[in-house]
């Protein structure tokens, strides 16, 4: 019955000695709850109230506003390792990880060290640097589809460049995306886009001209027949997808679906594009394409390859990438692209990820977490399903299975909102939307995971 004793010692030091002798599990939980400081958010609320008068919705990115889960957002003060602290002094086990980049942990000491060294040389050159070459070679060596790469400043930028590239290379205009897949906020992709659009219940965004989306066709995820019908009816430049969906919640593809897309795009003369902004270097060192053994023609990347700094990239076969200026006629540029800070943080992050056992640890901890959450949810009588691939996970308040956005949309989002608030009050920070994936880091421990499951068990009882 000593399972949670180490957790109590970490989060409630005053109780450490009390847990040196065996105590029944239920009594342990009651003791932890009795000594837990009230979850105060006065300062967070004050900061957010001010922010609403100076930024749209009080945030710089929509999902941060907590609209789908209710209440005011938590305002962070600092992060380190697997943890975040808000301005009220509350500590959280963090499973958002800056939406994926913090795969080695927040503010990792090794990453900070090299960043400090490079900052002495400057923060932006606006000129070539050796750091770009080093990170580019690491990406090319790791990702099966990439023979050349272009760095950008965000995942959205990478996808914008990719969209222009596939059209320039094929001399076709139509592209196929999937219901609930998000590829950034460029006009051409804001069609049934998942992520923040789904979270906020928005229609296709106002301000997007009809002409911008006229070339975008939408198919159902995991539905090959639907894709083939569109390929028969239209001259398509590319089929673009998240190879593991993280923006409709967490949805895993059938491997046969990815294999089928590879065959169909080749057959109909279209390019296959994997948007690995979220999955790249997260579910395996070579991304989803290495994990599933299916190689696309073009790949977009971001998040992890910047080690916590703003970054994006797109890459692919050399003959395709040589269409990009200045090698070719397709124009795309960016003043801060390839800046030395992002490149250096990315280099060190990839070095850490390449060490033996890194992905085995991510997989082990994530499986422990999601298995525990699902077990406790079902034991409490809730309809719940979910899963993980390496360090990426998610679940839905529905019986499932969830294979596409239409399935995800059947989830009980009101129940998720209550669960999310309860977990916050128990010191666990999760994405404030049923339609977002969660992320594990190398800084998380088994004690963190067990504390999270224990909290989930208590919160499930209140729903």
């Amino acid at each position: 019955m000593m399972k949670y004793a180490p957790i109590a010692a970490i989060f409630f030091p005053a109780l450490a000695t009390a847990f040196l002798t065996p105590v029944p599990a239920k009594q342990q939980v009651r003791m932890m709850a009795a000594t837990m400081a009230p979850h105060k958010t006065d300062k967070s609320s004050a900061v957010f109230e001010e922010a609403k008068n100076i930024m749209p919705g009080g945030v710089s990115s929509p999902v941060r506003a907590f609209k789908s889960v209710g209440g005011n957002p938590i305002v962070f003060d600092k992060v380190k390792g697997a943890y975040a602290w808000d301005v009220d002094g509350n500590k959280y086990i963090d499973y958002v990880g800056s939406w994926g980049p913090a795969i080695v942990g927040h503010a990792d000491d090794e990453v900070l060290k090299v960043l400090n060294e490079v900052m002495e040389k400057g923060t932006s050159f606006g000129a070539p640097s050796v750091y770009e070459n080093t990170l580019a070679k690491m990406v090319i060596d790791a990702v099966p589809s990439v023979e050349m790469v272009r760095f950008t400043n965000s995942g959205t930028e990478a996808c914008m460049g990719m969209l222009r590239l596939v059209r320039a290379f094929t001399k076709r205009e139509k592209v196929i995306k999937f219901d609930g897949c998000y590829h950034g906020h460029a006009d051409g992709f804001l069609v049934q886009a998942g992520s923040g659009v789904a979270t906020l219940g928005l229609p296709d965004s106002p301000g997007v001209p009809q002409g911008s989306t006229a070339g975008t066709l939408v198919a159902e995820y995991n539905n090959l027949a639907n894709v083939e019908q569109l390929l028969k009816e239209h001259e398509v430049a590319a089929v673009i997808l998240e190879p593991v969906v993280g923006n409709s919640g967490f949805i895993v593809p059938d491997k046969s679906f990815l294999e089928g897309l590879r065959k169909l795009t080749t057959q109909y003369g279209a390019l296959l594009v994997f948007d690995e902004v979220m999955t790249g270097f997260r579910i395996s060192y070579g991304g989803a394409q290495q994990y599933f053994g299916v190689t696309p023609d073009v790949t977009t990347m971001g998040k992890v390859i910047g080690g916590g700094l703003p970054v994006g990239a797109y890459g692919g076969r050399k003959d395709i990438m040589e269409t990009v200026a200045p090698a070719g006629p397709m124009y795309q540029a960016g003043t801060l692209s390839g800046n030395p800070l992002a490149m250096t943080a990315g280099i060190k992050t990839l070095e850490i990820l390449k060490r033996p056992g890194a992905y085995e640890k991510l997989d082990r901890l994530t499986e422990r977490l999601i298995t525990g959450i699902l077990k406790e949810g079902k034991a409490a009588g809730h309809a719940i399903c979910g899963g993980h691939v390496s360090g990426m996970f998610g679940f839905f308040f529905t019986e499932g299975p969830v294979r596409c956005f239409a399935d995800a949309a059947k989830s009980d989002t009101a129940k998720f909102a209550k669960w999310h608030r309860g977990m916050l009050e128990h010191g666990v920070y999760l994405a404030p939307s049923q339609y977002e994936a969660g992320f594990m880091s190398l800084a998380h421990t088994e004690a963190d995971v067990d504390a999270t499951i224990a909290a989930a068990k208590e919160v499930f009882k209140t729903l």
Side-chain angles (χ1 to χ4, degrees), residues 346-362:
I347 291 164
K348 178 53 68 174
T349 297
L350 298 196
E351 285 178 359
I352 294 170
L353 288 174
K354 203 168 184 181
R355 293 171 187 168
Y359 287 95
E360 289 79 3
K361 179 179 180 180
L362 288 171

Side-chain angles (χ1 to χ4, degrees), residues 8 21 25 49 81 89 97 117 136 170 202 292 319-320 355 395 440 446:
T21 55
E49 287 304 314
E117 292 170 357
T170 63
L202 297 174
F292 291 104
D319 62 316
I320 298 172
R355 293 171 187 168
F395 68 92
M440 185 67 67
E446 290 187 0

Side-chain angles (χ1 to χ4, degrees), residues 48 65-67 69-74 421:
F48 183 60
F66 276 39
K67 279 188 173 265
V69 292
N72 287 341
I74 302 303
R421 177 56 59 173

Side-chain angles (χ1 to χ4, degrees), residues 342-394:
M343 300 294 97
T344 298
I347 291 164
K348 178 53 68 174
T349 297
L350 298 196
E351 285 178 359
I352 294 170
L353 288 174
K354 203 168 184 181
R355 293 171 187 168
Y359 287 95
E360 289 79 3
K361 179 179 180 180
L362 288 171
D363 185 63
R364 182 177 68 254
L365 288 177
T366 313
E367 181 176 24
R368 185 184 185 115
L369 175 71
I370 196 65
T371 299
I373 288 175
L374 295 178
K375 177 183 175 183
E376 297 299 347
K378 290 174 182 177
H382 300 291
I384 189 170
C385 67
H388 83 288
V389 177
S390 189
M392 184 175 172
F393 68 90

Side-chain angles (χ1 to χ4, degrees), residues 45-91:
S45 294
V47 173
F48 183 60
E49 287 304 314
E50 179 186 44
K52 287 194 292 186
N53 293 317
I54 52 180
M55 294 182 284
V59 292
S60 295
S61 189
V63 75
R64 300 178 193 175
F66 276 39
K67 279 188 173 265
S68 74
V69 292
N72 287 341
I74 302 303
V75 177
F76 279 15
D77 178 53
K78 63 180 180 178
V79 291
K80 185 68 176 176
Y83 312 112
W85 288 262
D86 66 23
V87 292
D88 289 275
N90 300 303
K91 180 181 179 180

